[in-house]
Amino acid sequence: MEILNMQTVFVFEAIIFVSAVLMHVVKRNSTIIIIYLCQSLALVGLLGIHAYQEQSTGSFLIALIVLVIKVLIAPRFFLRLINRSHQNLSASTYINVPMTLGVIIGLIFFAQSDIFSPFNKLLGEMPALRMMLISAIFISLFLTINRKGVLSQIIGVLSLENSIVAFGFFVGLRQPFNLELGILFDILILVIVSTVFVSMVYRQFDSYDVTRMKHLKEE
Amino acid sequence: MILSLVILVPLAASILSLLVAKRAKNLYRIAAAASFIELAASSAVTYSIAVNNSPFSWTPYFSVDFLGAILLMLVAIVGLATSIYSIGYFKAEVDKKIIGFHRVREYFILLHLFLMAMFFAITTTSPVLMWIAIEATTLSTAFLISFYNKPSAMEAAWKYLIINSIGLLIGFLGTLLFLSIVSHPYPINLIDWSALAKNASNANPLIVKIAFVLVLIGYGTKVGLAPMHTWLPDAHSKAPVPLSSLLSGVLLNVAFLAIIRFKIVTDLSVGANFSQGLLIFFGILSIVIASLIILMQKNYKRLLAYSSIEHMGIIALGFGFGGIGIFAALLHMVYHSLAKSMLFLASGNIFLKYSTTRISSTKGAIFVLPVTGVLFLAGFLAITGIPPFGTFLTEIYIVSAGLKNHPVIVITAIIALTLAFVGFLRSVFSMAYGEPGEITKGEKSKWTTLPLIAIFIILLALSLYLPDFIKVFIQNASALISKTI
């Protein structure tokens, strides 16, 4: 049972990692959001397994809230925005796809370097898991930096947040129930604020492309 | 119980402001009353700490020590001045038909939430709750930065939201790593700062080092340390003036508090050299970058924003040098908060008169606005470290703390500070003197003048004479920060 659970959580972490990589490859906003939904679902899976192991009602509730915020509310908000604005094609990246993949490979190698060897003690002797957990963080961060579209940027921030929560899960850094609720509440507010901002940006610039934002430079 | 007032009053004020349907006067009354209660409650907490010589606690979740009390008072004082000033400022903007009642209400609702988040961050005992509160400051102020709904304001707000969200997530990762040093993996109880400090000596030093780097980059983004500062000049210059005053005057210090708290834990684990080296690096980088840009600045609100980056660099340098530098850095925080909030509020009066933030289009401010003009000049002297203002002494102390071990850094800092002074001098004198043109003379209202005078009196008084009880607070806070293995 324990081995099965370990394999399952490994698969869930692999989904989180692969989702972070795939977000760089796809061009359509709606596809990025679907990938984010899958990534969030994998995170819910991790939390659900933990709750099952612990037989903890609080942990089940947390997994359920994450499901509601990240799988149901956030993607729906963003998809509705895309439908309203008819801007499904994502804005381009600052560097092209082959170079982006090159950077991602570099980040994966960096995540495997000895700099992060102190994490072995926290994560157990599983080099592949360490590589996926750390590189998912870097790759999500890189998505926000590399994309020119506001929607992709905010999805990058949310993917970074998913990767960090997954990292915290494997390191065993669970918080008291009320604190976890506080963190989730903060994330819900971030989702709402960023959605409102994305729509405000579209109204102001008639596009989701950040390269249209030149007014600060011109002043 | 008193501590609960500090957090619950701004929350109540925000809810009450939401319920105000028509009259702006009611919003102003709520803001003034709430700010007075917050200052009174903060003073009572500080007084209790001074009398009992121990931290003031309310439930295991909230506690204020000597370090927290300094920031609590700063937020309460600048918060009161800003709330009163906001009344006059928004009255003028409504009269000019720049904004309407609904925008004013939105401003006050978010202002109270912002103040609550800052009070919460200062008073909480939990690093995670502190992170939540500081993230809440970003979310509550993002809409205020885009307040005027102009493309440039929207850009600034977007930049602020994205960069700070990333920064704070990196800070969160660092926080999680710090929590890993506490021995039991599934804590039922809260992990507070004292639990972290107790477990610090047994922690894996490499993990602590990585965690501190992440915290410094994460919260350093919010502090505006270079090279993570890029959002700050845009956000601080595009926000409504009273908010800029709070952002520059106190929010940067609140975020710095998080770095200081983690520095204490780091130093207990790996010794002070590691955190000091990093703080010196980010500190000098911030001073140099900000000073060079101040020299070429054409917009007075951006000038003040870059000056905040410079001063956060000076404070980081003080903590980095250690010894007397820590005492000086804490005192510098106090002087900078007061001087910068006064300068931003003065810049608001200048903007109301001239309707521009361009330095070249603002002439003869000292003749057009006799009170504001003089206070703007005084603020310039204070912020550039000219006697009799306290920043002169704190900068001397910080420089002397590093002279022996880091002479090159000190010389670089002195050159950069001189450049910043020249840049400021040129801009401020160009604004203060010259022919104002056809602009009517006289201050807008007492609401926009009295808060400046009040802050100036406090700043000057604390510069000329530092009362013993404040010295004790800063000494005890310095002792807390200086604790190492």
Side-chain angles (χ1 to χ4, degrees):
Chain A
M1 186 68 187
E2 191 60 35
I3 294 169
L4 180 69
N5 275 343
M6 202 54 224
Q7 284 171 342
T8 318
V9 292
F10 194 85
V11 169
F12 281 137
E13 175 49 35
I15 294 172
I16 291 173
F17 166 74
V18 172
S19 305
V21 176
L22 280 178
M23 282 177 195
H24 281 275
V25 184
V26 298
K27 286 286 177 196
R28 284 180 176 276
N29 279 326
S30 54
T31 319
I32 291 183
I33 292 163
I34 302 287
I35 294 171
Y36 169 72
L37 188 149
C38 296
Q39 191 186 52
S40 302
L41 210 54
L43 187 70
V44 172
L46 283 177
L47 297 173
I49 285 180
H50 170 78
Y52 176 74
Q53 275 179 339
E54 296 269 301
Q55 290 294 307
S56 152
T57 320
S59 300
F60 268 119
L61 198 60
I62 291 293
L64 193 70
I65 296 170
V66 172
L67 179 81
V68 171
I69 295 175
K70 296 184 161 226
V71 180
L72 301 177
I73 296 179
R76 210 181 164 146
F77 270 1
F78 292 127
L79 285 172
R80 198 183 290 173
L81 272 180
I82 296 169
N83 287 337
R84 248 191 247 160
S85 57
H86 307 291
Q87 293 259 323
N88 196 16
L89 203 66
S90 171
S92 54
T93 51
Y94 285 100
I95 55 174
N96 60 27
V97 176
M99 275 183 76
T100 301
L101 291 174
V103 173
I104 290 172
I105 291 167
L107 290 173
I108 292 170
F109 274 110
F110 180 58
Q112 280 183 305
S113 67
D114 281 346
I115 298 171
F116 302 103
S117 59
F119 292 153
N120 287 348
K121 233 182 177 179
L122 293 174
L123 296 168
E125 295 298 327
M126 292 179 73
L129 182 67
R130 191 190 93 187
M131 179 275 285
M132 286 195 296
L133 281 169
I134 298 170
S135 48
I137 293 173
F138 288 135
I139 292 167
S140 301
L141 187 60
F142 178 51
L143 181 73
T144 307
I145 296 166
N146 192 29
R147 287 278 172 157
K148 291 179 183 173
V150 286
L151 255 171
S152 316
Q153 285 186 348
I154 211 71
I155 292 290
V157 172
L158 294 173
S159 168
L160 174 66
E161 194 264 321
N162 274 354
S163 309
I164 290 173
V165 172
F167 180 87
F169 173 84
F170 278 97
V171 177
L173 298 170
R174 298 193 52 75
Q175 295 299 307
F177 178 66
N178 48 0
L179 276 194
E180 292 205 355
L181 274 185
I183 295 168
L184 286 173
F185 179 71
D186 228 35
I187 290 161
L188 176 65
I189 301 292
L190 174 66
V191 168
I192 294 168
V193 169
S194 50
T195 312
V196 175
F197 256 95
V198 169
S199 61
M200 281 163 70
V201 166
Y202 182 75
R203 241 182 293 152
Q204 192 72 254
F205 300 97
D206 208 25
S207 166
Y208 289 131
D209 192 339
V210 289
T211 51
R212 293 271 188 100
M213 298 182 179
K214 288 176 181 166
H215 296 78
L216 283 170
K217 277 184 202 162
E218 286 164 3
E219 277 185 4
Chain B
M1 189 60 194
I2 298 168
L3 199 50
S4 66
L5 283 179
V6 176
I7 297 157
L8 296 178
V9 166
L11 179 65
S14 182
I15 295 167
L16 285 174
S17 301
L18 184 69
L19 298 175
V20 174
K22 275 180 186 171
R23 288 160 60 101
K25 260 188 183 174
N26 290 334
L27 293 171
Y28 303 151
R29 281 180 191 143
I30 293 167
S35 301
F36 271 111
I37 297 170
E38 284 151 26
L39 180 60
S42 301
S43 306
V45 169
T46 308
Y47 177 75
S48 167
I49 296 167
V51 169
N52 300 319
N53 201 27
S54 67
F56 186 98
S57 299
W58 174 57
T59 74
Y61 291 90
F62 298 97
S63 180
V64 182
D65 57 8
F66 288 99
L67 179 60
I70 296 168
L71 287 168
L72 192 69
M73 284 306 294
L74 279 178
V75 175
I77 291 169
V78 177
L80 174 65
T82 305
S83 295
I84 302 291
Y85 180 88
S86 300
I87 297 171
Y89 188 80
F90 286 109
K91 266 184 182 172
E93 291 219 320
V94 170
D95 289 346
K96 279 185 170 181
K97 300 206 181 327
I98 296 172
I99 51 168
F101 167 78
H102 291 287
R103 303 294 282 167
V104 178
R105 187 175 66 168
E106 183 189 322
Y107 168 83
F108 279 105
I109 292 168
L110 292 170
L111 176 77
H112 294 304
L113 286 179
F114 174 44
L115 284 169
M116 184 195 71
M118 284 197 287
F119 283 127
F120 199 104
I122 294 167
T123 54
T124 180
T125 55
S126 157
V128 177
L129 282 177
M130 188 178 205
W131 177 82
I132 293 172
I134 293 180
E135 173 75 7
T137 63
T138 306
L139 300 176
S140 57
T141 49
F143 286 112
L144 288 178
I145 291 166
S146 63
F147 189 71
Y148 293 112
N149 232 350
K150 289 178 183 169
S152 57
M154 186 60 67
E155 272 182 62
W158 180 254
K159 217 170 158 183
Y160 172 73
L161 185 70
I162 287 288
I163 295 176
N164 276 292
S165 295
I166 291 175
L168 286 172
L169 281 173
I170 292 170
F172 185 54
L173 181 61
T175 306
L176 288 179
L177 284 175
F178 267 110
L179 297 185
S180 75
I181 70 175
V182 177
S183 49
H184 45 99
Y186 297 106
I188 299 160
N189 295 324
L190 180 84
I191 298 178
D192 58 14
W193 294 110
S194 61
L196 282 184
K198 267 181 210 158
N199 287 274
S201 53
N202 302 322
N204 180 337
L206 285 172
I207 288 190
V208 172
K209 282 182 180 178
I210 293 173
F212 185 72
V213 170
L214 292 171
V215 160
L216 188 56
I217 291 172
Y219 287 108
T221 306
K222 192 84 185 171
V223 170
L225 290 175
M228 297 86 71
H229 67 285
T230 50
W231 63 273
L232 191 147
D234 299 327
H236 288 208
S237 60
K238 290 296 157 196
V241 162
L243 182 76
S244 306
S245 160
L246 278 172
L247 289 172
S248 260
V250 283
L251 178 62
L252 303 184
N253 293 338
V254 173
F256 218 124
L257 178 69
I259 295 176
I260 298 170
R261 296 264 187 227
F262 282 112
K263 178 191 176 326
I264 296 169
V265 180
T266 308
D267 292 355
L268 287 168
S269 175
V270 297
N273 284 347
F274 179 73
S275 66
Q276 285 181 337
L278 286 169
L279 284 166
I280 291 171
F281 170 74
F282 283 111
I284 193 68
L285 195 64
S286 305
I287 295 172
V288 170
I289 289 177
S291 300
L292 290 174
I293 299 175
I294 283 172
L295 206 58
M296 305 176 290
Q297 202 44 246
K298 290 171 184 163
N299 176 314
Y300 58 83
K301 278 188 86 181
R302 288 180 77 86
L303 177 82
L304 297 178
Y306 275 107
S307 158
S308 296
I309 298 169
E310 177 207 355
H311 281 272
M312 287 304 116
I314 295 171
I315 291 165
L317 219 53
F319 287 119
F321 288 154
I324 187 73
I326 295 177
F327 180 91
L330 284 171
L331 195 53
H332 197 83
M333 258 186 188
V334 176
Y335 291 137
H336 172 255
S337 270
L338 296 169
K340 189 52 61 66
S341 47
M342 184 180 84
L343 273 168
F344 262 111
L345 297 184
S347 78
N349 289 352
I350 294 170
F351 179 73
L352 283 176
K353 219 34 157 183
Y354 290 82
S355 302
T356 178
T357 51
R358 279 174 191 266
I359 292 168
S360 58
S361 309
T362 312
K363 300 279 177 203
I366 207 157
F367 308 113
V368 174
L369 295 158
V371 180
T372 302
V374 169
L375 293 179
F376 194 71
L377 273 180
F380 149 69
L381 296 176
I383 217 70
T384 49
I386 303 296
F389 292 99
T391 43
F392 172 71
L393 272 183
T394 52
E395 285 179 9
I396 293 276
Y397 283 142
I398 289 172
V399 161
S400 62
L403 206 53
K404 193 178 166 192
N405 295 326
H406 309 280
V408 178
I409 300 283
V410 166
I411 291 166
T412 312
I414 291 172
I415 294 170
L417 291 177
T418 312
L419 288 178
F421 173 77
V422 172
F424 245 107
L425 185 77
R426 211 171 50 181
S427 304
V428 169
F429 272 76
S430 150
M431 288 168 67
Y433 299 101
E435 183 51 50
E438 291 179 8
I439 293 175
T440 46
K441 290 178 186 175
E443 300 288 341
K444 265 284 183 234
S445 77
K446 61 182 179 199
W447 298 104
T448 53
T449 319
L450 287 177
L452 271 85
I453 298 171
I455 296 179
F456 174 71
I457 291 170
I458 298 170
L459 176 65
L460 189 65
L462 290 182
S463 296
L464 297 174
Y465 173 70
L466 197 63
D468 284 342
F469 76 92
I470 295 182
K471 267 186 213 159
V472 170
F473 265 82
I474 296 177
Q475 274 164 355
N476 285 337
S478 308
L480 184 79
I481 299 166
S482 309
K483 265 197 273 177
T484 48
I485 42 174

